[in-house]
Amino acid sequence: MLDLVVLIAMAVTAVALAAGLIVQAGIPQITAIIAAAALYLVMAASYIVVARPSHAGDTDRLDQLEGALEVIDSDLQRIDRVENDIARLGQAFRDVPGGHARIEELAAELETVHARIEGLRADLEVETRSQREKISSDLGTLESLIKQLSRDLTVPGAAVAATSSVQPKASTPEPEGEEEEFALASSGEDLTLDEEFETVIAAVADILDGGEGAEIVESETVLTVTETIETVAVAEEDIADAAADRAVEEGMLGTLHQAIEAGRVDLYLQPIVTLPARRVRYYEGVTRIRDGDDELILPGAYLPEAESAGIMPLVDNVLLVKSVQVLRRRGSQSKVKGLFSNISMASLLDPDYFPELVEFMEENSGLSESLIFELRQPEIMGLTRSELDSLDTLGALGFNFSLNHVVDLDIDYIGLSDRYFRFIKLDAPTFLDGMEEKGAPLPPADMVRYLEGFGLQLIVEKVEDEAVVARLVDAGVELAQGNLFAEPKPVTPALFAELEDADAA
């Protein structure tokens, strides 16, 4: 537009010049028009030569500024998402994916569980009281029997003492003393049930030392007392175990809450190397949570509580975001092909979190070839077709999956491949010595090529010694993982330096 305005102004100037020459100087029209045209061409050419490069430079600068603004806008959006994630993490138990309704539902479920535990406690207390009353009744019966026994034994003991002149005089316990002793022992005011029972048995043993009247003891009553005491003990142990389990669970959830709120959810990386060269080809990202004393909590300790409390999407989201950050810092010439990120099926089935996950993955679709989601086989076994659609959604964006914690090798490998699974992980003991037990169709030496026929690459994990490595190489295994090569390490500048070394390898 500016060019057009300038050219029009030049044309007006040239016409004015021609009119002035004709009217004021009396120059012929043809000559004046030629002179005006010449002037216009000179002005236009000068403008094009002088003004256009500067204008082009301004245009390029403007394009650069617009590009920079787009980058800034993208960064601001990313910062907003990170802030939102931090806010969500900071409200782990108030703002979990699913909203207020979900947290109320969780609270209601916890109240229900608490009410059931309290109900069980009350029932057990009632049962305990009932059993104690029954024990008291049985002890009363036993007391009467012992009193009767003591009376019966007093007369025969005295007769034997009076008529025997050769044998030593038999010592016969006095009934009144025994009755008084037993009454004190059986009162139970200051003794536990076990002590009461032991006292009763001791009294019976003392009375029967002479071997007289053993047939009078009611063994069934003693058995009943024993069974009753055992029942009460079991009930009390159940209450104690339930209370202990509840305390552990509440303690772990509290630790998780504090760790998420304080940002103590860390990403650890463990390399997956090629065999036999042992060059880093992939990394597996795992979550490590630190408690208030900076002690590590391994997944086996917190996963059950996190899954039952419905906060796995929060934990998985931290791992995923940090994994994406690591991949973005990876050089374009890196020899490290990708990163395995563990994710729970609970997160993929969460109706509130999954749409956010899909949106995040769409924004990072450029990492689809280097980010592999890792799922545990027990989590996907028995799922319906509709529940597995989440895998198809991520697969359609270009992302692939890895199957670990494999418990059954007699599976549909074609179906796995159709669901975008490209890797299977087996631990070294299973691969080398437990394939038949897991239902593998072939021995280890043939299993690698068999899986490749379905587009699945085998990774043998938990490799701990050199002897295992030699057997894996003989079996044709190309990828391995384990503490022998490197233990999981936190993402630190030092680890990024190792990544650069891996890039140069």
Side-chain angles (χ1 to χ4, degrees):
M1 178 61 72
L2 178 62
D3 293 342
L4 180 60
V5 172
V6 172
L7 292 175
I8 291 174
M10 290 178 178
V12 171
T13 301
V15 171
L17 175 65
L21 292 175
I22 294 172
V23 174
Q24 299 296 330
I27 296 176
Q29 293 182 359
I30 299 299
T31 303
I33 290 173
I34 292 173
L39 176 62
Y40 176 76
L41 291 175
V42 170
M43 289 190 296
S46 299
Y47 174 76
I48 292 173
V49 171
V50 176
R52 273 301 179 86
S54 176
H55 182 63
D58 292 340
T59 301
D60 293 340
R61 179 60 178 166
L62 182 60
D63 291 340
Q64 293 175 359
L65 291 175
E66 290 178 350
L69 287 174
E70 291 178 357
V71 173
I72 292 172
D73 183 62
S74 175
D75 291 340
L76 288 175
Q77 292 177 0
R78 187 176 294 109
I79 291 172
D80 289 339
R81 286 195 299 271
V82 172
E83 290 177 348
N84 291 336
D85 291 338
I86 293 174
R88 289 171 53 202
L89 291 174
Q91 299 175 353
F93 288 89
R94 294 169 292 171
D95 251 347
V96 295
H100 188 65
R102 180 177 178 81
I103 205 65
E104 288 183 350
E105 180 183 352
L106 176 60
E109 292 178 357
L110 289 175
E111 288 294 333
T112 300
V113 172
H114 179 69
R116 288 178 179 174
I117 292 174
E118 291 300 326
L120 175 60
R121 184 186 297 274
D123 291 343
L124 288 174
E125 288 177 354
V126 171
E127 179 68 17
T128 301
R129 285 195 297 271
S130 175
Q131 295 292 349
R132 287 179 183 273
E133 292 173 359
K134 188 174 185 302
I135 290 172
S136 298
S137 176
D138 291 338
L139 287 174
T141 302
L142 185 57
E143 179 183 2
S144 299
L145 290 172
I146 293 173
K147 290 179 179 179
Q148 182 62 41
L149 178 61
S150 64
R151 296 191 191 98
D152 293 341
L153 291 178
T154 301
V155 176
V160 170
T163 56
S164 177
S165 59
V166 179
Q167 296 179 350
K169 184 176 180 180
S171 62
T172 305
E174 297 181 0
E176 293 181 359
E178 284 189 338
E179 290 178 16
E180 181 180 357
E181 179 184 356
F182 181 76
L184 291 173
S186 62
S187 63
E189 293 179 356
D190 299 319
L191 299 176
T192 64
L193 289 175
D194 289 341
E195 290 171 340
E196 289 176 358
F197 181 72
E198 290 173 0
T199 303
V200 171
I201 296 302
V204 173
D206 290 340
I207 294 173
L208 296 179
D209 279 343
E212 297 286 339
E215 69 277 4
I216 302 177
V217 178
E218 296 287 344
S219 60
E220 293 183 358
T221 302
V222 176
L223 180 59
T224 300
V225 174
T226 304
E227 292 176 346
T228 303
I229 292 175
E230 291 176 351
T231 301
V232 173
V234 170
E236 291 176 345
E237 288 177 1
D238 289 341
I239 292 175
D241 291 343
D245 291 342
R246 181 181 173 189
V248 170
E249 181 176 353
E250 291 178 350
M252 181 56 68
L253 288 178
T255 300
L256 285 175
H257 175 213
Q258 295 170 6
I260 293 173
E261 190 175 48
R264 295 196 300 268
V265 181
D266 302 323
L267 172 66
Y268 275 54
L269 297 181
Q270 184 175 35
I272 300 171
V273 303
T274 61
L275 292 181
R278 305 191 186 191
R279 296 191 177 187
V280 178
R281 185 62 69 237
Y282 297 95
Y283 279 93
E284 178 182 353
V286 294
T287 304
R288 293 290 185 266
I289 292 178
R290 289 175 286 119
D291 61 16
D293 298 325
D294 270 350
E295 295 293 332
L296 288 181
I297 305 175
L298 299 180
Y302 69 78
L303 280 179
E305 284 76 11
E307 290 174 349
S308 63
I311 63 172
M312 278 307 299
L314 287 174
V315 178
D316 286 342
N317 191 62
V318 175
L319 174 63
L320 181 59
V321 171
K322 292 188 175 184
S323 298
V324 168
Q325 292 172 348
V326 169
L327 288 174
R328 286 197 173 280
R329 293 186 61 174
R330 186 179 53 122
S332 59
Q333 303 300 320
S334 174
K335 300 298 183 182
V336 177
K337 296 181 65 175
L339 189 149
F340 289 71
S341 179
N342 285 270
I343 191 168
S344 68
M345 202 65 206
S347 297
L348 299 183
L349 296 178
D350 189 294
D352 298 309
Y353 173 71
F354 186 67
E356 298 178 6
L357 172 64
V358 172
E359 181 180 357
F360 183 70
M361 290 298 97
E362 287 176 342
E363 295 172 356
N364 293 279
S365 58
L367 301 176
S368 60
E369 294 183 359
S370 55
L371 180 62
I372 302 102
F373 291 102
E374 190 154 288
L375 293 166
R376 291 175 289 177
Q377 187 189 41
E379 286 191 316
I380 66 173
M381 295 175 68
L383 294 181
T384 63
R385 183 178 298 273
S386 61
E387 289 174 327
L388 290 171
D389 285 344
S390 58
L391 305 183
D392 295 337
T393 301
L394 294 175
L397 296 176
F399 294 93
N400 295 318
F401 299 93
S402 171
L403 189 68
N404 70 349
H405 291 269
V406 176
V407 297
D408 184 8
L409 286 168
D410 186 13
I411 53 179
D412 180 12
Y413 293 101
I414 296 178
L416 279 180
S417 180
D418 291 342
R419 294 285 183 186
Y420 302 96
F421 280 87
R422 298 294 177 263
F423 299 89
I424 288 184
K425 283 188 175 183
L426 296 177
D427 60 79
T430 296
F431 177 75
L432 295 174
D433 302 308
M435 297 290 278
E436 184 176 355
E437 180 182 349
K438 298 289 185 181
L442 294 170
D446 301 323
M447 196 65 185
V448 177
R449 299 290 175 262
Y450 179 75
L451 292 174
E452 289 177 351
F454 299 101
L456 298 167
Q457 189 165 11
L458 176 66
I459 300 175
V460 177
E461 58 181 352
K462 298 182 181 178
V463 179
E464 305 294 337
D465 57 68
E466 294 292 346
V468 170
V469 174
R471 294 179 64 186
L472 295 180
V473 172
D474 291 341
V477 175
E478 297 178 353
L479 293 174
Q481 176 183 358
N483 292 340
L484 176 66
F485 309 116
E487 296 182 358
K489 298 180 180 179
V491 178
T492 61
L495 181 57
F496 277 116
E498 290 186 17
L499 284 171
E500 293 176 0
D501 293 339
D503 292 349

